[in-house]
Amino acid sequence: MSVASLISSRALVTLLAAGWLANALAATNRDVERGIAAYEAGQHDEALAAYEAAEEALGERPELHYNRGLALLAKGEAEEARKAFEHGTESERPEVRARAEYELGNLEFDAEAWDAAIARYISCLKADPEHEAAKWNLELALLKKKQQEEEQEKDDQEQDDQEKDDQEQDDQEQDEQEKDEQEKDEQEQDEQKDEQEKDEQKDEQKDEQEQKDEQEPKDEQPEQQQQEQPQPQPVDRADLDKTLEQLDDQDPFAVGRPSPVLVPVEKDW
């Protein structure tokens, strides 16, 4: 059912309802007749004023609430119209209940509340099984609900796929980050190991040098001592005596030598 057909059907049903109510109530109250005429002429404020006057005379009637709901809806006051139609569903006349349920269904339809609209159209058809506009709108609401469910299912699937892709992307990035961190840690460990090995090599070289430095003086000192100490040589007795005589001649005051004894001269040379 097209939107244009829906609007036309709603207007037709509204006019029929107004005509039916005019026949049902206008004969007993001129304010109702005046309100219906004002509504059909597009004078909605005048219609509301007439229905209020009728209510003062007739008392609160579900039929008057229904009519007030039509005028309020025409003025764009949807929530106030909803309240009036709710009172209209309390009517003992099935025709009034059906039309009130139908208008409530249309409000739910406009709000795209498909389940609520479907329930109202079904209530309308229970009160008036021949309500053609309610049948059309019920089929349209069912179709809209099915489309919405399919779109919602598609959106949910796309969202699930997107979340899955995002999760896989996050996992991949996390794996790459962990891999990079692991490689960085391994590189740092290798560098630390290289530095440690270098330090150990330096320490070993230093220890070797120190040991070498400590060993060199010990090894050289005996050699120097051996070089400085003269080797004993065999002494010739004649040379020794000669040397001693030379020493005696050079040192007339030699210590430890026996004192000379003076003897008389025997011969005058």
Side-chain angles (χ1 to χ4, degrees):
M1 182 177 182
S2 64
V3 177
S5 299
L6 175 61
I7 296 174
S8 298
S9 298
R10 180 181 297 181
L12 178 60
V13 172
T14 299
L15 290 175
L16 291 175
W20 179 85
L21 287 175
N23 293 331
L25 298 177
T28 58
N29 189 281
R30 293 182 179 180
D31 289 327
V32 173
E33 184 177 21
R34 182 167 58 87
I36 293 173
Y39 174 82
E40 292 177 349
Q43 299 172 354
H44 305 124
D45 289 332
E46 287 78 358
L48 290 172
Y51 296 144
E52 185 176 355
E55 187 173 358
E56 292 178 358
L58 301 175
E60 187 174 349
R61 302 281 295 274
E63 295 81 3
L64 291 175
H65 280 293
Y66 171 77
N67 272 16
R68 288 184 68 255
L70 294 177
L72 290 168
L73 186 63
K75 290 184 63 177
E77 299 179 11
E79 289 305 316
E80 293 298 322
R82 181 190 296 274
K83 295 176 182 179
F85 291 138
E86 290 285 358
H87 285 295
T89 60
E90 299 170 358
S91 175
E92 295 180 357
R93 297 176 178 272
E95 298 90 346
V96 177
R97 291 200 310 271
R99 284 156 178 76
E101 293 286 358
Y102 174 76
E103 293 298 338
L104 288 170
N106 289 341
L107 289 174
E108 302 294 355
F109 189 99
D110 292 340
E112 297 185 358
W114 309 123
D115 288 335
I118 290 169
R120 289 296 184 178
Y121 292 140
I122 291 175
S123 295
C124 172
L125 291 172
K126 287 181 178 179
D128 183 6
E130 302 302 323
H131 199 295
E132 295 296 329
K135 294 179 182 179
W136 296 337
N137 284 8
L138 175 60
E139 293 181 3
L140 186 57
L142 291 169
L143 178 61
K144 290 290 186 179
K145 179 183 177 181
K146 183 178 179 181
Q147 291 176 349
Q148 185 184 56
E149 290 175 348
E150 291 175 351
E151 290 176 359
Q152 184 64 42
E153 184 178 355
K154 182 179 178 181
D155 292 340
D156 292 342
Q157 184 62 41
E158 290 178 353
Q159 184 176 358
D160 291 341
D161 293 340
Q162 183 63 40
E163 290 178 354
K164 184 178 179 181
D165 293 340
D166 293 341
Q167 184 64 41
E168 291 178 353
Q169 181 69 24
D170 292 340
D171 292 341
Q172 184 178 358
E173 291 177 357
Q174 185 175 0
D175 292 341
E176 291 177 355
Q177 183 177 359
E178 291 177 354
K179 183 177 179 181
D180 292 339
E181 291 177 355
Q182 183 177 1
E183 291 178 353
K184 184 178 179 181
D185 292 339
E186 291 177 353
Q187 183 178 0
E188 290 178 354
Q189 291 177 359
D190 292 339
E191 291 177 355
Q192 292 177 356
K193 185 177 180 180
D194 292 341
E195 291 293 331
Q196 185 176 0
E197 290 178 353
K198 290 180 181 179
D199 293 338
E200 291 176 354
Q201 290 178 356
K202 289 180 180 179
D203 293 339
E204 290 177 357
Q205 293 176 355
K206 182 178 180 181
D207 293 340
E208 291 177 357
Q209 185 64 38
E210 290 177 353
Q211 292 177 0
K212 184 176 180 181
D213 294 341
E214 290 176 358
Q215 292 175 358
E216 284 180 353
K218 293 180 181 179
D219 294 340
E220 290 177 356
Q221 185 175 0
E223 291 179 358
Q224 291 176 357
Q225 291 177 354
Q226 291 175 2
Q227 291 176 0
E228 291 176 357
Q229 292 179 356
Q231 296 294 328
Q233 298 293 333
V235 180
D236 186 79
R237 182 65 183 176
D239 292 337
L240 178 59
D241 292 339
K242 184 177 180 180
T243 300
L244 292 174
E245 290 178 357
Q246 290 176 351
L247 291 173
D248 289 340
D249 293 339
Q250 293 175 358
D251 187 8
F253 303 100
V255 179
R257 185 181 297 179
S259 301
V261 178
L262 299 178
V263 295
V265 175
E266 293 180 357
K267 186 177 181 180
D268 185 9
W269 298 95

